[in-house]
Each structure stands twice: as structure tokens, then as C-alpha cells.
Amino acid sequence: MKNQKDLFLYNTLSGKKEKMTPLVEGKIGMYVCGPTLYSEPHMGNMRTFINFDMIYRYLLHLGFSVKYVRNITDAGHITNSLGNAEDAIGKAAKLEQIQPLEIVYKYNTKFQELQKIYNLLPPSIEPTATGHIQEQIEIIEKIIENKFAYEVNGSVYFDVRAYSEKFQYGILSGRKIDELAEETRELNAQEEKRFFADFALWKKANPEDMQIWRSPWGNGNPGWHIECTAMSTKYLGAKFDIHGGGMDLKFPHHEDEIAQSCGSYGTQPANYWLHANMLNVNGQKMSKSLGNYFLPKEIIEGSTTIFDKAYDATTVRFLMMQAHYRSNMDMSSESLLAAEKGLQRMFEAVELSKNLALSEKSTFDVSEIVASFYTAMNDDFNTPILIAKMFDAVRLINLINDGKETITKADLETLILEFKLFLFDVLGMPANESKSDNRLSPVMDLVLDLRQNARGNKDWTTSDKIRDGLAVAGIVVKDGKDGTIWQ
RNA sequence: GGUCUCGUGGCCGAGUGGCUAGGCAGAGGUCUGCAAAACCUCGUACGGCGGUUCGAAUCCGUCCGAGACCUCCA
């Protein structure tokens, strides 16, 4: 069932689901655009990273050897096309009165913490833009050499018209240059540019810039898009398998990355472009400028007024896994609560499965269920379907427990193994089991034994007192047919 | 204005030309000392209007509504 050749993914480039064929069999190179660390990443940012973490996990699960590169943008980029605004990191630095890299360091520390809290696997490497200025300059030089860029007054711009004669600008986002021209009716104040769609590869330094680098064109800053081209090329080569990022990066960021790669190395960087959809708040994209965002920490601390109570990171992650990565999703107290309860059922089934009665034969087809897990995920990482299939398995486990279905030892082992692999390794739910403290266990045995005696004597007052007392300590007691369990 | 996406039952959220998605919530039942859990049954959903078709929520057109991108953005 674990067949690498059955994987299909939706490629933004073609607008279709395509069979995944790596450049080198068994190996995958994946680049994902990471955060710009001028502030703490919000929940919407996290959703993208959680989704690509899931994708990374599934690729690993299929046995691919994956090199996963996710950059950190720590060089400031001018915030609008006019070029007269400050870069976000520089702005934050001035505001907080510390160095730009202190800003980045500060927020990167938080970002790293969040990755642990939300159970993200660390990428193979997290390269930084400032650590690759030289590589960026070299690519710019190549583009100039190829006559797809020009220098004006200490800045370098990508020449979209020249590029369009050999390549198709707009291939990813479906944009046409002449249409773009009509659309951009204002804001053409960028006099240095020869053509409105040209974009900066290198910007001459402003006197107030806090980060400045030397280049063949004088002191300045790299353009926003060039860092990804430089780092993906360095770590994955000019051509690699998967490039991912948020939908909002499709244009212009990813479009321009393609132009830069074609303009320098004559090849598109990635075979497959994956785009994760946005997280909404009340139907609108979460964004800093709208102010409708909340932080990943606020939700687990319960310090945002948007939700009725605190929800842990696992619940949030599970809720996100219940939506497809290409759909946009909203979060509400109701949906979080539903996820919390649903996940609880999953975990309880895992516990329950440890003590199921075994039979001579199984009354259902385990291999079919397990196959359905793979079918779901192979279809463009359809986690909602996967979860639905897993709930089917949960139901079966409960039915076995009720004696209404039976299972053999071998089938149970297969089912549990695969179930856990998908729950913990693929969906990334933390496997915090075996937490059943060795010292607590005998104590509980004793307490429950006492309660059982009371129940035997129909001393309900005592038995309920024990149950209520344990409830206060967060221990739930459930009386089943074959004894009492606690958690 | 241009390009594009979406509109599914109380909520979240998949999918599909005809066959029950799933979770949560709700109703009834089984079990239980009670409770919890579990299991069973139930609501007969696909924005409006046309069209294609034996048959459409699924394809086409149109209208309404929401959103994304076109400018920094995961």
C-alpha cells in the first residue's frame, strides 16, 4: 500500500492533479517560502507551515528521502512598489530601537518555539537571506549577463519585456502582460523602471537603511524575490521537485522566482508548485494590515477574545487537518470544540485498542481500511478524507470492544500500526502516550478496587464520592462491562 | 476595473453525473445502580433561475452572494 508511485498532487502550474514523479527516484527536493521575521508569526502563517509539515511528513512516510528547505527572510524588503516606504524589518527595528538582526533573532526564537508547540518537524535546513547575499548577487549577475536585467542608478531591475520574448511571464499565475498593463493604471511612479512590470533585483541603499550590503552596483539591498531563487538553487539545485508557499505568494513572488530561474539558469525551478490556502477570520483573510489576526500562543493560552476558552495546539492542528490544505478555512469556538472532542475519540480508540479481545477471524477487511488511508492521502494529501476513514476505524475498534465485531491478532496489529502511523507520524499529533505514570498506576488500582468493593455492596455514596473526587483531579472513571477504566 | 476561487444539512468540512463522506451539536433507543463512554436509528444538505442528460448538488449559461490576487503579506 505504501507505494510512492501512487501519489498525485495538484500542481498550480498546470492547474491539475498530476502524478508525482521525482527527478531522482526515491528522492524529493522541496522548497517552502518561510516567514519574514519582523513580528511574531500569526495563526495564518502557522497554517501554511503546518500544512507543509503534513506534506513533508507524508512524503517521509512514503519512504522518500526528502530534503526540505524552508527559508527565513531576515533581510528587509521595501514594502511598496514606489520604493519610498521603509522595509518591514527596518521599521520594526527603529520602533523597538534595536538592530534589524536582533529583531529577526527575537522573532525567530518565538517561531522556533511555536514549531515545537505545534509539533512541526524541523526542515532539513532553514537558510537565511542575509547569509546568502553573495549567492543572490551572483544570480543577479547571471541574469544581467543573459540580458534579462538592467542597472539604473545603483539599482538592478528584471527586464520583463526582454524576458517575455524568450519565456512566458505569468505562466504560474495566469497573468498576461498586456492585461497587467491595463490593470496597473496608477502607481507608475517608479521612474527607474523601463516597464511597469519590471521588478527590483537589487535596490540602491537609502541613507536611512539599517541593513546595507556591498555589491557590484554599489551599496544596497537585495530584492524580495531573489533570495528564494538563490537559496533554492544553492541547496536543491537549479531544478528541483516541489516548491510550496501560501496562495498569496503566487503572484508576484513565485512568478518572479520562475522568471529569475529561467533568466539565470534557463530552467523553471520546480516541477510542482503547491499552494496552501489562507486562514480566515469571519470569512476574511487573516492579515496584519486588517488587524484581524491572533497569535498561535494566544489561542493555547486562551488570551484572545475570539474564542470561548483555551484550546491546545494539538486541537488546533487537528482542526486544520480536517480541512484540505487548498481550501480556505475559518476557525471558531464551535469548530475548535468539535475538533477537540473528535480528537479525544481518536486517542481513546488508541488506548482501547491495547486491550481488545482477539478472535479466530476478523469480521471486516482490515487491508481495505488501511488502503483507504493511503488512497485519501495519495489524492493530493486529502487529510479530511483520511480523518473520516480513521473515524471509521475508530468505530470498528469500539465495536470490537463491544463484542459486535471481531478481529484477529495479525489484523489488529496491522490496523493499530497503520492507525498510529497516520495519527502520529503523518497528521503530526503528538504521541504523548505511556504517560501513565508508574507510580500512579498502582494507586489507581487500589482506589478503583476500593470503589469496586463499595459498588459490590451497593454503597453508591462511597463509589460516587470516589468517582467525583477523581474527577476533580482530572481523572475520568468509566465503568464498562469488563471492569472500570480511567484516564 | 482585470484575473480567479468558492457558495453543501444547526456548526465545521469532504466529495461526486445515478450508490451513506466524516466530526461536533440535536432527537430517540441499547447498555448501566446512576453517570460517563460506546453502539444503533433519525434529520432526507448541496445559493436562485434556466439549459444539457434517462438522471445533476456534481456539466453549461446566467443572476445573487462571499473571498483571493492584481501593492507588503503564509
Side-chain angles (χ1 to χ4, degrees):
Chain A
M1 277 166 271
K2 206 161 152 175
N3 189 346
Q4 296 180 351
K5 296 196 166 79
D6 292 333
L7 179 63
F8 280 73
L9 32 80
Y10 181 87
N11 190 352
T12 309
L13 209 48
S14 64
K16 289 180 194 135
K17 283 181 193 168
E18 293 176 15
K19 194 186 186 89
M20 171 74 208
T21 311
L23 290 165
V24 179
E25 194 173 336
K27 295 190 174 182
I28 288 179
M30 176 163 82
Y31 186 91
V32 172
C33 291
T36 303
L37 293 169
Y38 63 95
S39 62
E40 195 168 337
H42 63 231
M43 204 61 236
N45 300 315
M46 285 307 287
R47 172 154 122 123
T48 298
F49 302 132
I50 288 170
N51 274 140
F52 280 103
D53 180 62
M54 173 276 291
I55 288 170
Y56 177 45
R57 285 166 172 274
Y58 188 60
L59 294 173
L60 291 175
H61 176 71
L62 286 180
F64 285 110
S65 161
V66 187
K67 188 164 177 183
Y68 174 25
V69 182
R70 191 186 58 211
N71 70 299
I72 285 169
T73 297
D74 58 349
H77 297 296
I78 304 309
T79 54
N80 77 26
S81 64
L82 293 167
N84 56 7
E86 290 174 294
D87 71 88
I89 292 171
K91 199 172 164 186
K94 281 175 190 161
L95 210 65
E96 301 190 29
Q97 299 204 323
I98 52 177
Q99 291 288 323
L101 285 185
E102 280 184 83
I103 288 286
V104 173
Y105 183 77
K106 174 179 166 182
Y107 292 116
N108 192 217
T109 305
K110 297 202 176 192
F111 180 52
Q112 298 300 329
E113 271 171 37
L114 285 173
Q115 289 191 65
K116 286 206 182 78
I117 293 171
Y118 281 85
N119 207 26
L120 304 186
L121 294 176
S124 314
I125 182 167
E126 288 183 274
T128 60
T130 56
H132 298 77
I133 299 295
Q134 191 55 39
E135 287 83 349
Q136 297 181 59
I137 289 172
E138 282 165 18
I139 291 191
I140 295 171
E141 286 177 324
K142 269 202 176 62
I143 299 173
I144 294 175
E145 245 173 67
N146 293 341
K147 306 233 175 359
F148 295 126
Y150 53 91
E151 187 205 337
V152 181
N153 199 14
S155 293
V156 181
Y157 295 94
F158 192 90
D159 190 337
V160 171
R161 279 183 305 187
Y163 175 80
S164 298
E165 286 170 21
K166 284 205 166 174
F167 298 95
Q168 188 189 340
Y169 185 79
I171 190 169
L172 180 74
S173 56
R175 288 191 160 74
K176 304 215 161 41
I177 294 182
D178 27 331
E179 282 173 3
L180 277 168
E182 291 165 20
E183 293 154 21
T184 313
R185 59 240 191 241
E186 42 200 299
L187 297 177
N188 256 345
Q190 189 56 271
E191 306 214 333
E192 288 176 352
K193 291 203 256 181
R194 290 182 191 164
F195 186 56
F196 74 94
D198 292 353
F199 55 92
L201 296 172
W202 188 267
K203 281 295 285 184
K204 183 184 182 170
N206 291 314
E208 67 275 15
D209 283 347
M210 293 182 79
Q211 285 177 299
I212 294 174
W213 288 273
R214 281 188 195 168
S215 81
W217 315 285
N219 291 343
N221 297 278
W224 174 34
H225 318 299
I226 197 70
E227 61 172 88
C228 287
T229 302
M231 291 186 272
S232 65
T233 305
K234 173 158 184 173
Y235 295 103
L236 297 168
K239 184 98 179 170
F240 51 95
D241 299 294
I242 296 173
H243 191 127
M247 284 268 203
D248 50 354
L249 297 183
K250 199 153 68 167
F251 188 89
H253 185 57
H254 290 160
E255 197 68 71
D256 291 346
E257 272 188 61
I258 290 178
Q260 289 165 346
S261 283
C262 291
S264 55
Y265 289 94
T267 175
Q268 284 229 14
N271 278 140
Y272 305 90
W273 285 83
L274 306 188
H275 288 99
N277 216 138
M278 302 291 100
L279 179 66
N280 290 172
V281 174
N282 299 324
Q284 250 194 328
K285 175 184 165 182
M286 180 180 283
S287 85
K288 292 213 164 112
S289 49
L290 287 170
N292 65 341
Y293 67 95
F294 54 87
L295 300 177
K297 261 210 169 136
E298 290 175 333
I299 187 165
I300 54 184
E301 286 167 354
S303 56
T304 166
T305 51
I306 301 173
F307 306 113
D308 57 347
K309 62 168 187 131
Y311 292 91
D312 61 39
T314 308
T315 299
V316 174
R317 184 169 172 130
F318 189 68
L319 176 62
M320 293 191 166
M321 293 293 106
Q322 281 187 292
H324 186 83
Y325 78 92
R326 281 193 290 114
S327 304
N328 33 17
M329 72 170 297
D330 223 311
M331 275 171 79
S332 63
S333 296
E334 264 185 308
S335 62
L336 280 163
L337 189 67
E340 190 176 64
K341 293 193 176 178
L343 183 59
Q344 189 61 27
R345 272 190 86 197
M346 288 258 180
F347 282 139
E348 281 173 19
V350 171
E351 283 303 305
L352 196 58
S353 68
K354 291 173 183 163
N355 305 309
L356 288 180
L358 301 170
S359 305
E360 289 296 303
K361 63 173 204 172
S362 301
T363 45
F364 54 93
D365 190 347
V366 167
S367 62
E368 202 174 286
I369 293 166
V370 173
S372 73
F373 296 170
Y374 286 91
T375 306
M377 288 302 284
N378 283 338
D379 184 17
D380 195 31
F381 311 103
N382 200 325
T383 50
I385 295 283
L386 168 67
I387 290 171
K389 298 300 178 186
M390 289 175 74
F391 274 118
D392 288 344
V394 167
R395 203 178 122 262
L396 284 166
I397 288 169
N398 287 327
L399 282 170
I400 295 166
N401 188 238
D402 281 6
K404 290 169 181 161
E405 300 274 359
T406 65
I407 194 167
T408 65
K409 186 164 185 275
D411 277 352
L412 182 63
E413 280 169 2
T414 306
L415 183 63
I416 295 313
L417 176 73
E418 294 286 345
F419 191 90
K420 282 185 174 175
L421 281 173
F422 277 93
L423 187 62
F424 301 134
D425 294 0
V426 176
L427 293 176
M429 299 298 117
N432 54 355
E433 39 180 355
S434 72
K435 207 167 58 181
S436 39
D437 190 320
N438 309 334
R439 288 190 306 170
L440 183 59
S441 205
V443 174
M444 282 305 296
D445 287 348
L446 177 66
V447 171
L448 290 180
D449 191 46
L450 289 170
R451 177 165 173 273
Q452 201 49 45
N453 282 344
R455 293 183 75 211
N457 299 330
K458 302 206 184 230
D459 178 4
W460 311 127
T461 319
T462 304
S463 81
D464 288 353
K465 189 176 174 183
I466 292 171
R467 185 172 65 197
D468 296 345
L470 289 171
V472 171
I475 295 169
V476 181
V477 174
K478 295 177 187 173
D479 300 322
K481 250 190 225 121
D482 313 312
T484 299
I485 56 168
W486 60 275
Q487 6 184 247

